[in-house]
Amino acid sequence: MRLIKQSFERDGSGFVTLFPEESEDMWYAYNLIRPNDLLRASAIRRVTTESATGSTSSTRVHTTLTIRVASLDFDPQSSQLHVSGRIAEETKFTKVGQYHTLDLELQRNFTLEKDGDEAWDSVARGIIKEACDPVKSADVWAVVMQEGLANLAVLTGARTVLRQRIEVSIPRKRGGRAGDHDKGLEKFFQTTLETLLRQIDLNESKPILLASPGFTASSFQKFILDTAIRTGNKALMAQKANFVVVHSSSGHLHSLNEILQSPEVTARLKDTQYAREGKLMDDFMALLRKDDGRAWYGPNEVEKAVERGAVGRGGGVLLISNALFRAQDVAIRRRWVRLTDKVRDVEGGEVRTLSSEHESGKRLDGLGGIAAILTYPLDDLDEEETEAEINNADSNGVET
């Protein structure tokens, strides 16, 4: 993403003009655009005109429209973003109040305007900074497989995207039919390799994880290199150092979580956002199992820990899912923005916003979307809530 222009007022209102350059930028735009924002972008509009004789004709015209955002639709597979709303500025072809859906496109500017107090809050500005960072974490390709099944996925700084699922029937080894099994396995490897080559750019040097139970992944790596030699594909042969073979319990995509914890993978991916987020969740879960009062999750429990200064300097970490910042209710969004601001700016703790499109973010979503590693133990934060509810019920004359 390229930042073209920005202007922010003291009250938090303002606008930004961005130029999306790659599909990943649409994910950032999806997290940045909120209902009631003003969005200005190029559009194609069908216009009906009437002649002097009363006949009508319909044509498609290219124009620029500004809409008041009502809803967003993001397709994670194709990285297409559709934003719907009512037209906010009259043009030659449209009137205010008419409905339109803008399809944001790569290599075309769009301008996003937010009005109202704290509209451009710290989270929104952080998304712009991350999206426009030229040194974003490199992509990692992964082929999670078992005999007859392969899941081809790409891991970016913000998402895990399943690009292709490959299934090929392989005959079992029975009696003297071992040859049928070998032919089926070769066909499976060939199909998987062809699919992989359609997805990756051989001129780039990025890690390619090959994971499976047993020896399927290592056999696939040998097949790739043998094919490169046989066909004289020097670009494919040059990728040899990027292949990382690792064990997994299955060929399904959910095995990525255990794959990324293996020593050989963490050594290669230690500087990527995905690996850092995964390690933080592992550290949190380890503390939670110890049950020593240093790991808490859930909105109320974490807020209490922050209020008591336990998520600050000296090891305090707030883990929060970016899904919470997509809340359509402005008050709910501000609740989480102010919490992150307090931890980072007042308490001096670390704030990590995890992507709900990564395995680590999905694990966090399963815990309510928010968790914290405390600088010192606190006990019974959940029980305090129960006592407060009981006291409140007693004061209202409610029997418990």
Side-chain angles (χ1 to χ4, degrees):
M1 188 89 79
R2 193 189 312 164
L3 177 61
I4 304 300
K5 188 177 181 180
Q6 68 178 17
S7 176
F8 300 133
E9 304 298 331
R10 289 187 177 181
D11 64 357
S13 61
F15 74 90
V16 61
T17 300
L18 297 168
F19 182 78
E21 299 176 296
E22 54 188 26
S23 59
E24 185 74 359
D25 294 336
M26 291 303 176
W27 166 252
Y28 287 107
Y30 171 59
N31 283 278
L32 190 62
I33 301 169
R34 306 300 329 131
N36 294 320
D37 289 349
L38 286 173
L39 179 65
R40 182 179 179 85
S42 59
I44 298 176
R45 181 82 176 178
R46 184 174 292 278
V47 178
T48 302
T49 56
E50 184 175 348
S51 67
T53 61
S55 62
T56 60
S57 62
S58 179
T59 57
R60 291 163 64 88
V61 297
H62 290 266
T63 184
T64 299
L65 295 179
T66 301
I67 66 170
R68 178 73 68 176
V69 176
S71 62
L72 298 92
D73 178 31
F74 178 71
D75 183 348
Q77 298 296 324
S78 61
S79 294
Q80 292 182 337
L81 178 58
H82 313 288
V83 186
S84 302
R86 296 192 179 277
I87 294 172
E89 295 179 3
E90 186 172 342
T91 70
K92 178 182 177 181
F93 307 106
T94 61
K95 296 180 180 179
V96 172
Q98 291 181 317
Y99 202 79
H100 190 85
T101 297
L102 291 173
D103 300 321
L104 296 191
E105 300 178 68
L106 297 179
Q107 311 300 320
R108 286 185 182 272
N109 288 357
F110 69 86
T111 298
L112 181 65
E113 182 178 347
K114 295 177 181 283
D115 48 29
D117 293 343
E118 302 179 38
W120 284 104
D121 52 42
S122 61
V123 172
R125 297 192 192 199
I127 291 173
I128 294 176
K129 183 178 179 181
E130 183 179 347
C132 298
D133 181 3
V135 194
K136 287 185 286 189
S137 300
D139 294 344
V140 178
W141 288 94
V143 182
V144 187
M145 61 196 315
Q146 60 192 41
E147 287 196 359
L149 171 67
N151 288 284
L152 175 59
V154 60
L155 288 65
T156 70
R159 297 187 293 153
T160 299
V161 182
L162 176 64
R163 299 302 295 266
Q164 193 75 46
R165 181 183 174 91
I166 303 147
E167 293 185 84
V168 175
S169 178
I170 301 176
R172 294 182 179 180
K173 289 183 178 180
R174 290 180 178 176
R177 300 185 62 185
D180 292 343
H181 174 271
D182 294 342
K183 288 179 182 178
L185 186 61
E186 183 176 352
K187 180 183 177 182
F188 168 59
F189 284 164
Q190 184 64 42
T191 304
T192 304
L193 176 57
E194 289 173 354
T195 305
L196 179 63
L197 293 178
R198 285 196 298 268
Q199 298 285 343
I200 67 174
D201 184 351
L202 292 178
N203 294 317
E204 295 182 344
S205 180
K206 297 178 179 179
I208 304 173
L209 310 181
L210 306 178
S212 75
F215 300 100
T216 305
S218 56
S219 298
F220 180 51
Q221 182 192 33
K222 183 178 184 302
F223 177 85
I224 293 172
L225 299 178
D226 289 346
T227 301
I229 294 171
R230 188 182 73 253
T231 60
N233 191 332
K234 295 181 179 179
L236 180 57
M237 181 57 69
Q239 294 286 332
K240 181 177 179 180
N242 290 325
F243 290 113
V244 182
V245 176
V246 62
H247 178 270
S248 67
S249 59
S250 79
H252 297 282
L253 195 60
H254 63 75
S255 296
L256 261 178
N257 190 45
E258 65 173 274
I259 294 166
L260 292 167
Q261 295 178 32
S262 63
E264 54 266 51
V265 173
T266 54
R268 288 291 297 271
L269 309 184
K270 62 182 179 181
D271 294 326
T272 65
Q273 178 179 337
Y274 193 112
R276 291 193 297 269
E277 291 180 356
K279 185 177 185 306
L280 278 172
M281 279 304 299
D282 292 341
D283 292 345
F284 172 80
M285 296 304 295
L287 285 171
L288 192 63
R289 285 190 293 270
K290 287 177 65 176
D291 195 22
D292 64 354
R294 283 196 57 212
W296 286 93
Y297 64 89
N300 294 325
E301 291 81 355
V302 171
E303 282 183 312
K304 289 175 184 176
V306 172
E307 288 298 323
R308 292 168 65 170
V311 191
R313 295 178 181 85
V317 182
L318 175 66
L319 303 170
I320 186 165
S321 170
N322 61 4
L324 295 183
F325 297 119
R326 290 199 295 270
Q328 295 196 17
D329 189 323
V330 175
I332 294 176
R333 177 186 168 90
R334 285 180 178 174
R335 173 187 180 185
W336 304 124
V337 171
R338 287 170 178 167
L339 186 70
T340 57
D341 288 347
K342 181 171 183 177
V343 171
R344 180 177 53 245
D345 301 332
V346 179
E347 303 296 336
E350 181 181 359
V351 176
R352 299 305 296 263
T353 303
L354 273 58
S355 170
S356 58
E357 293 294 314
H358 273 329
E359 286 301 314
S360 54
K362 292 176 182 176
R363 293 164 69 191
L364 183 60
D365 286 342
L367 299 174
I370 188 167
I373 297 175
L374 312 189
T375 52
Y376 56 85
L378 289 177
D379 295 325
D380 305 327
L381 290 178
D382 49 352
E383 292 183 12
E384 286 182 14
E385 179 186 1
T386 303
E387 291 172 3
E389 291 174 348
I390 293 174
N391 292 335
N392 184 54
D394 287 343
S395 64
N396 291 322
V398 178
E399 293 184 6
T400 58

